[in-house]
Amino acid sequence: MSKTLVEKIWDAHVVKSEEGFPDILYIDTHLIHEVTSPQAFDGLRKRGLPVFRPQQTVATADHNVPTVDQHLPIREELSRFQVDMLTKNCAEFGVELYGLGHPFQGIVHVIGPELGITLPGKTMVCGDSHTSTHGAFGAIAFGIGTSQVEQVLATQCLLQQKPKTMKIEVNGTLNTGVRAKDIILYIISKISAAGGTGYFIEYAGTAIESLSMEARMTICNMSIEMGARGGLIAPDQITFDYVKGRKFAPQGEEWDKALAYWQTLYSDADAKFDRVLTFDAADIEPMITYGTNPGMGMGITQHIPATGSQPETEQFSYQKALDYMGFKDDEPLIGKPVDYVFIGSCTNSRIEDLREVAEFVYGRQKAESVEVWIVPGSKQVEKQAIEEGLDKVFEAAGFRLREPGCSACLGMNEDKIPAGKYCVSTSNRNFEGRQGPDARTLLVSPLTAAAAAITGQITDVRTLLNQPELA
Amino acid sequence: MKKFEKLTSTVVPLPIENIDTDQIIPARFLKATTREGFGNNLFRDWRFDAQNEPKPDFVLNNSIYTGKILVAGKNFGCGSSREHAAWAIQDYGFDAVVSSFFADIFKGNALNNGLLPVQVSDAFLHAIFESVSKDPNTAIVIDLENQTISLPVAELSENFEINAYKKACLINGYDDIDFILNQKELIEKFENERANA
């Protein structure tokens, strides 16, 4: 029988399937971090259980960590306590921890791929909704709550309903200045912040196939922003080339065996999806959000849709969002002053993102009125950026490369955007207060963020792309 | 896990769409390492101003609205996977959340804690908001056994969906781990078969 990619991977991991019950799904790899794991370890203690497969569990500290002076103790007491608790739990239960100071430490969704832990065909979970990122490799990867973290620690399995499947095809060639982030913000703006709920999404089409692995991770990362638990892309030569030689990737004979299996991981030609959507890459321009959910996005040259154009029952919430942002109906965003620029998060903090920003700001100066934070996704990304001299380019432009962590994506650690300030951000959520109480977030690509850092205002980056190699 | 029994209660109305888990419990309040106490920070930034004074126009600060059922606009619980959102709602004193659409992860987290998410039609949701705005003492009845929710004042009732297994968990107060732990032999067999494939 023909199957979608999701079905192939899912079916290969079903331990038990029984009418009237969710499937028992085997989980190959469990990633954990300090915020959503303490209550799960506590649950194990209360039940007197060990971690069932500690060698399939990897931990890092990312959400609570400061992004300057990481060699010093964490100043904020509760954050320090939570990070220390992770260290204690990992030691007690025998889980590998890449904690602060470890050369592999970083955002959980950045380190998995770069270490070769993330592989095609795997099932992966983490107590974090952006676990969908790992789907870029052709894996079933999704975020779970803490009770489920405890389930996986205890049994290496989850009780899960098989999801519906959706295919989103993007075909054609991307326009100048348009990046993976713009593709996904465009898709979310078309299908809304709830349009993917209940589905696993397979991204396909020529525009997706042409993307690098890091760009594919940006796409899959934001699947959850339209409500989809997971999003994935069929592995291909670009995937295999990226994975080969990474620290924990299979080697020698194991590699050949794995590769032979990975090459079977695609949706069969006549496989049935529950829903199929098709977009044309030519319709996508650099994107920006103007509201308080990621579905409220538009092309950067467009004007904010009028409240009256929204369905009547949604107008109250829509107006509330515009009031929060300090925006009005029909306004353009181009030229609005910006207070902060944040380049980082599990969406856009990889080496290609930093290279792109460095290339753009090279020979330019940051606007005086703007505070710019560039936060690498991991120690390895940081190291590579320094080896390539990107830190020097950033310094010359007036900004500084910080140390790895989730940083200003979620207003949990020391990096918060002050009340009322506008932050042009490469992160994934523009919810009220997401980057700090009353902070106002505008989601964009790293390239558009770099343009705002230079001009101090919301800018169509295409007007500054005069060197042909940047196009 | 707490057992869910038939519930008749007044409601707290929150007629806003796309309420994300960062509103339910902002990230800066996720630093606790136990499950208790999150209710104090439920809807923190809608409930309190920067000086920690209650905002009088927010519904949880309006004593005429009380009850064990939170009623909210569609796509409730979108965003982060933080189970703290379900813990906060429950810790505050709610036993059920009613909306016309729930985000997946939130729904799962709620069910895993004995907090019942009840998905109703847009029309039914609208009728609740309308009845409650006329009379804050309006009660609704949630009958899990029969999978019905009713609004007696408007003589309205509808059925709601819930997975049969999760329903049994809620009614009996048992959780997924108990269930999977009983399947350990199967899990080990699965692992062995894969290793030898």
Side-chain angles (χ1 to χ4, degrees), chain A residues 416-430:
Chain A
K416 293 187 185 72
I417 307 301
K421 299 294 184 191
Y422 288 98
C423 179
V424 166
S425 177
T426 68
S427 54
N428 39 58
R429 289 190 173 133
N430 52 352

Side-chain angles (χ1 to χ4, degrees), chain A residues 148-427:
Chain A
Q148 293 176 308
V149 172
E150 188 182 337
Q151 274 176 50
V152 179
L153 289 174
T155 66
Q156 206 58 37
C157 287
L158 269 181
L159 274 180
Q160 279 291 301
Q161 297 272 44
K162 197 170 181 174
K164 291 185 285 183
T165 56
M166 184 191 302
K167 179 157 87 162
I168 296 183
E169 267 192 44
V170 186
N171 291 306
T173 309
L174 291 174
N175 291 315
T176 304
V178 174
R179 298 295 184 261
K181 183 65 163 288
D182 301 304
I183 300 177
I184 192 66
L185 284 173
Y186 176 82
I187 294 171
I188 302 167
S189 77
K190 292 294 172 197
I191 78 166
S192 92
T197 307
Y199 294 92
F200 263 62
I201 296 173
E202 181 176 342
Y203 301 95
T206 52
I208 301 292
E209 288 159 14
S210 69
L211 296 173
S212 70
M213 283 317 295
E214 297 196 357
R216 293 177 189 188
M217 286 186 240
T218 299
I219 301 265
C220 291
N221 171 274
M222 290 189 73
S223 302
I224 185 65
E225 307 314 334
M226 45 191 151
R229 283 299 275 281
L232 79 181
I233 296 171
D236 58 12
Q237 198 55 46
I238 293 173
T239 319
F240 309 143
D241 291 345
Y242 179 96
V243 170
K244 192 162 192 182
R246 291 191 181 261
K247 180 147 181 84
F248 297 109
Q251 290 176 7
E253 264 180 49
E254 288 293 309
W255 170 265
D256 297 336
K257 197 175 152 196
L259 185 62
Y261 172 58
W262 297 344
Q263 284 167 336
T264 68
L265 295 175
Y266 50 83
S267 287
D268 296 326
D270 50 352
K272 289 256 181 314
F273 290 86
D274 295 294
R275 201 175 164 199
V276 178
L277 297 172
T278 306
F279 298 102
D280 186 347
D283 293 338
I284 307 174
E285 65 167 332
M287 295 287 294
I288 189 163
T289 62
Y290 55 85
T292 57
N293 72 62
M296 298 175 79
M298 64 182 189
I300 196 150
T301 58
Q302 294 176 353
H303 293 213
I304 294 173
T307 306
S309 69
Q310 306 300 311
E312 204 181 321
T313 52
E314 291 169 29
Q315 289 183 6
F316 175 77
S317 299
Y318 186 86
Q319 187 62 54
K320 183 175 182 293
L322 292 193
D323 289 347
Y324 180 86
M325 293 301 292
F327 294 150
K328 295 189 194 70
D329 284 358
D330 301 316
E331 264 192 317
L333 287 182
I334 298 263
K336 285 205 176 272
V338 167
D339 305 299
Y340 284 77
V341 170
F342 170 56
I343 295 166
S345 86
C346 56
T347 314
N348 283 121
S349 63
R350 298 177 180 84
I351 193 67
E352 286 179 11
D353 299 316
L354 301 194
R355 279 185 199 138
E356 178 155 72
V357 171
E359 193 180 351
F360 180 81
V361 303
Y362 181 75
R364 290 175 159 133
Q365 275 296 311
K366 141 185 128 56
E368 260 187 41
S369 56
V370 181
E371 178 90 26
V372 182
W373 293 340
I374 303 191
V375 184
S378 69
K379 287 307 278 184
Q380 297 211 91
V381 171
E382 179 190 27
K383 183 167 167 264
Q384 194 173 350
I386 292 168
E387 280 169 8
E388 294 180 15
L390 306 186
D391 56 328
K392 298 284 185 297
V393 175
F394 295 142
E395 271 165 39
F399 23 99
R400 173 181 169 192
L401 182 66
R402 295 166 81 96
E403 293 173 278
C406 296
S407 185
C409 176
L410 85 166
M412 171 155 205
N413 48 69
E414 293 171 9
D415 302 346
K416 293 187 185 72
I417 307 301
K421 299 294 184 191
Y422 288 98
C423 179
V424 166
S425 177
T426 68
S427 54

